[in-house]
Amino acid sequence: MLLESRLQDTWVTPADTAGVVVNDAVTGELVCRVSSAGLDLAAAFDHARRVGGPTLRALTFHQRADLLDAVAAAVRARREELYALSARAGATLNDARYDVDGGIRVLRDYATRARTGLPDAPYLVEGPAERLARGEDFLGVHLVTPSPGLMLQVNAFNFPVWAPLEKLAQAVLAGMPGVIKPATPTAYLTERLVRIVADSGVLPPGVLQLVVGSVRPALDLLGEQDVVSFTGSAATAETLRTHANLVARSVRFNAEADSVNAIVLAPDVAPGSPLFEAFVREVVTEMTVKAGQKCTAIRRVLVPREQESAALDAIASELAGVTIGNPLAEGVRMGAVVSLAQREDVRQAVRAIAASGRFVYGDPEKVRVVDADPERGAFLDTLLVSADPDAAAPHEVEPFGPAATVLAYRDSAHATDLLARGRGSLAASLVSDDPAWTTGVVREAAPWHGRLHLLDSTNMAQTTGHGSPLPALRHGGPGRAGGGSEMAGIHGVVDLMQRTALQASPRLLNALSGTRARPSADSV
């Protein structure tokens, strides 16, 4: 099966019939071939800017919100197809729901936020007006308008449904058409998603296109009003970010990259306590959901030195109850990683980390699986490592799979230093009932993280978890994590638009905004 791309609202077959082979993560069987050879990307980008963009920009924020609700309804009606196909990528039903239902929820969340937080107008006038002279006849405001460009999504393999829908939500509200480039190992899932949306006919022409295969040549086609939204490795982000055309034309580039996320257990949390047990569940959940293939998954588990043995024993005991195998088999809690190549990448990563310590649970070379061949499928055991906290590898190497490393810290200063050695992460969790300890660590850790999840006894029954990005909050992180920002509620929509300072009379500002422009009380 040769995957098709959807360009200029038509399904197109690539010229290269061989393409890149994509195999079933569980059985090793051929799923599809992927190629972008012979595709007219210049025409596709022109179609987005010339057809999709003007249509979206003519709509109000509330009308764009209606489009998101329509897409959500279309995907929900056929989500069983996406669940079934997700199993070929090694995902359990719970993993598939995390991806598919999560994407649907983000669409609906953004639609609701647009109706309550944005005007029923095509643009936004930010006020109140600033008085720029001694009188009140020369005022200033900021006008936020849609850019006449496109968003090129370059997505990772781990969330083939959620990621394109999440980025589409913000782009559509911002009045910007999108071109999706899915990662090759799970491109067949994103292709099915786009077919579902295209079949529904809910989006205007030119608003959504799909390029299956490489888009590197297309980077020369991007201009000043376009946006690249990238999710993937730090190395690839660096290559794309420094592309000559993107630099020369100041193309906006948003990146979510590698992240050695951490969880920190505080000294006040006693082994065996309910909060300690919540900590253990958090670690094991992050190791096993989607077989640990989440950009926010916990890689480093920081524990007080005196609690290291208890933490290792408790986590290992919980991991022993995780059944691995065919995600369609009854009782299986964790499936395969996405490919044999990914399995080898994880093996190499955990070996490098374990060089300064030992494997406490699991064997990177062996795994017992249910209803599957452990060699043909890309299966890995859950891998728990105990390592020297001051060694370099645990803070530099990210095993993108079901692996975590326990690092014993001496005191709070040592813990915050270890957090910073990750050089910037998407998320970290702090587990404590001591407000003074948490406050002190937050002050030191916040600059190195995009999000901090503060778990205590009062919220542990309601928490959405360490690894769950939420539409209302920023998703992204500094430094190694890419320095980008996604979601963040309405802020994320406005970030995709152009903010222009307007200096004018109240009469003109009133005509623009449809409301009476009044100077703020503290303006000059």
Side-chain angles (χ1 to χ4, degrees), residues 5-9 41 43-57 67-68 71 147-155 163-182 190 194 197 203-212 215 222 225-229 496:
S5 293
R6 186 167 177 82
L7 305 177
Q8 303 180 72
D9 306 306
L41 300 184
F45 284 18
D46 178 68
H47 184 67
R49 299 189 190 103
R50 182 175 47 82
V51 177
T55 302
L56 280 181
R57 294 195 297 275
L67 295 180
L68 298 187
V71 172
S147 298
L150 60 86
M151 174 189 279
L152 174 61
Q153 297 186 19
V154 182
N155 292 322
L165 291 180
E166 174 253 311
K167 294 177 181 180
L168 179 71
Q170 288 184 282
V172 166
L173 286 181
M176 183 174 283
V179 179
I180 300 173
K181 186 272 184 242
T190 306
V194 173
V197 177
L203 289 179
V207 170
L208 179 62
Q209 298 182 82
L210 171 72
V211 178
V212 174
V215 292
L222 297 172
Q225 295 291 337
D226 298 322
V227 174
V228 177
S229 183
L496 290 174

Side-chain angles (χ1 to χ4, degrees), residues 98 101-110 113 159 162 166-167 169-170 256 282 286 294-296 426-427 450-454 459 462-476 485-493:
Y98 197 100
D101 293 2
I104 294 170
R105 283 194 296 270
V106 169
L107 289 171
R108 288 181 167 166
D109 185 282
Y110 262 101
R113 289 179 185 280
F159 282 96
W162 184 89
E166 174 253 311
K167 294 177 181 180
Q170 288 184 282
E256 180 207 315
E282 205 69 46
E286 292 301 307
K294 293 195 306 175
C295 54
T296 53
L426 295 170
R451 177 168 56 87
L452 291 175
H453 172 235
L454 311 180
N459 66 22
Q462 297 182 24
T463 176
T464 54
H466 165 97
S468 299
L470 299 171
L473 300 178
R474 177 184 185 233
H475 178 51
S485 179
E486 295 177 9
M487 297 195 294
I490 296 303
H491 296 293
V493 175

Side-chain angles (χ1 to χ4, degrees), residues 183-209:
T184 294
T186 51
Y188 54 91
L189 265 161
T190 306
E191 190 256 10
R192 179 65 62 86
L193 169 69
V194 173
R195 283 191 184 275
I196 289 171
V197 177
D199 290 349
S200 71
V202 297
L203 289 179
V207 170
L208 179 62
Q209 298 182 82

Side-chain angles (χ1 to χ4, degrees), residues 167 228-242 251-261 295 398 422-427 447-451 474-486:
K167 294 177 181 180
V228 177
S229 183
F230 170 81
T231 304
S233 71
T236 303
E238 181 181 357
T239 299
L240 297 180
R241 193 196 305 271
T242 56
V251 176
R252 286 179 290 174
F253 184 87
N254 189 77
E256 180 207 315
D258 297 348
S259 186
V260 281
N261 311 291
C295 54
E398 183 189 16
R423 296 185 298 111
S425 297
L426 295 170
W448 293 101
H449 296 84
R451 177 168 56 87
R474 177 184 185 233
H475 178 51
R480 173 177 174 161
S485 179
E486 295 177 9

Side-chain angles (χ1 to χ4, degrees), residues 23-39:
N23 294 321
D24 189 303
V26 177
T27 66
E29 298 172 349
L30 174 69
V31 176
C32 63
R33 297 175 184 272
V34 170
S35 173
S36 61
L39 300 182

Side-chain angles (χ1 to χ4, degrees), residues 1-329:
M1 172 186 171
L2 187 62
L3 284 189
E4 294 181 317
S5 293
R6 186 167 177 82
L7 305 177
Q8 303 180 72
D9 306 306
T10 302
W11 289 101
V12 182
T13 303
D16 179 11
T17 57
V20 177
V21 171
V22 177
N23 294 321
D24 189 303
V26 177
T27 66
E29 298 172 349
L30 174 69
V31 176
C32 63
R33 297 175 184 272
V34 170
S35 173
S36 61
L39 300 182
D40 192 345
L41 300 184
F45 284 18
D46 178 68
H47 184 67
R49 299 189 190 103
R50 182 175 47 82
V51 177
T55 302
L56 280 181
R57 294 195 297 275
L59 301 177
T60 69
F61 288 112
H62 294 189
Q63 289 170 324
R64 296 171 201 159
D66 292 341
L67 295 180
L68 298 187
D69 274 336
V71 172
V75 177
R76 191 180 191 284
R78 294 175 59 181
R79 61 182 174 174
E80 297 292 339
E81 296 175 33
L82 296 168
Y83 292 165
L85 206 53
S86 295
R88 307 207 71 175
T92 65
L93 180 57
N94 282 339
D95 292 339
R97 287 172 173 161
Y98 197 100
D99 183 25
V100 177
D101 293 2
I104 294 170
R105 283 194 296 270
V106 169
L107 289 171
R108 288 181 167 166
D109 185 282
Y110 262 101
T112 300
R113 289 179 185 280
R115 295 190 188 97
T116 57
L118 290 169
D120 193 13
Y123 51 78
L124 172 67
V125 177
E126 294 181 326
E130 296 289 335
R131 190 167 59 209
L132 304 177
R134 289 187 178 182
E136 296 188 1
D137 293 326
F138 188 53
L139 306 179
V141 297
H142 285 98
L143 177 68
V144 183
T145 54
S147 298
L150 60 86
M151 174 189 279
L152 174 61
Q153 297 186 19
V154 182
N155 292 322
F157 66 77
N158 53 330
F159 282 96
V161 176
W162 184 89
L165 291 180
E166 174 253 311
K167 294 177 181 180
L168 179 71
Q170 288 184 282
V172 166
L173 286 181
M176 183 174 283
V179 179
I180 300 173
K181 186 272 184 242
T184 294
T186 51
Y188 54 91
L189 265 161
T190 306
E191 190 256 10
R192 179 65 62 86
L193 169 69
V194 173
R195 283 191 184 275
I196 289 171
V197 177
D199 290 349
S200 71
V202 297
L203 289 179
V207 170
L208 179 62
Q209 298 182 82
L210 171 72
V211 178
V212 174
S214 174
V215 292
R216 286 186 183 273
L219 298 179
D220 286 318
L221 304 173
L222 297 172
E224 295 82 359
Q225 295 291 337
D226 298 322
V227 174
V228 177
S229 183
F230 170 81
T231 304
S233 71
T236 303
E238 181 181 357
T239 299
L240 297 180
R241 193 196 305 271
T242 56
H243 185 276
N245 182 57
L246 270 61
V247 173
R249 304 189 70 172
S250 299
V251 176
R252 286 179 290 174
F253 184 87
N254 189 77
E256 180 207 315
D258 297 348
S259 186
V260 281
N261 311 291
I263 187 169
V264 187
L265 181 71
D268 68 280
V269 184
S273 67
L275 188 55
F276 183 87
E277 292 174 356
F279 152 78
V280 171
R281 288 194 300 271
E282 205 69 46
V283 173
V284 173
T285 295
E286 292 301 307
M287 290 178 67
T288 54
V289 171
K290 293 188 72 69
Q293 297 169 114
K294 293 195 306 175
C295 54
T296 53
I298 293 168
R299 309 299 177 193
R300 299 177 294 164
V301 183
L302 277 59
V303 300
R305 182 175 289 174
E306 59 273 17
Q307 296 182 15
E308 181 183 15
S309 294
L312 287 169
D313 289 346
I315 296 170
S317 177
E318 187 74 15
L319 291 173
V322 176
T323 303
I324 303 167
N326 185 338
L328 298 177

